[in-house]
Amino acid sequence: MGYRISHDGTESTLSATQIMELGVEVKRAASFTTWVTLRPLFSPRRDGYEEIPPARAVKYGKALLKVAGSLPRGWDRIARRIGESAVRASDANELWVWS
């Protein structure tokens, strides 16, 4: 199963495995506080669909952007793209959708 992330969060579908692997890298690189913020984003979704309200999206986005520079090459680009999409959704006052 793959994920598409709204507001240009993915170039193509990211697999559930890729999202899990990104979560592992983020956990390694993030401070405890940042990881606590981001942990729900990397929790398995039962149906693979989630609508995230703008206020929560911006928190996720800012936290991902904060940690992106500390991630290994490749993962940093993915985290930055996803983080920027979360901020765009919030700025537009729209739901940030993972489907």
Side-chain angles (χ1 to χ4, degrees), residues 29-94:
S31 68
F32 177 77
T33 305
T34 301
W35 175 244
V36 168
T37 298
L38 291 169
R39 183 177 35 199
L41 192 59
F42 296 103
S43 298
R45 290 160 185 75
R46 278 175 262 173
D47 64 358
Y49 183 86
E50 186 170 4
E51 293 180 340
I52 300 169
R56 198 162 25 122
V58 76
K59 288 179 186 176
Y60 289 149
K62 287 180 178 180
L64 274 172
L65 292 171
K66 180 178 177 181
V67 76
S70 300
L71 295 174
R73 207 155 101 121
W75 293 116
D76 60 338
R77 183 183 58 78
I78 293 169
R80 197 168 287 110
R81 185 175 184 110
I82 294 171
E84 289 169 351
S85 74
V87 172
R88 275 193 293 278
S90 178
D91 287 349
N93 199 31
E94 296 173 352

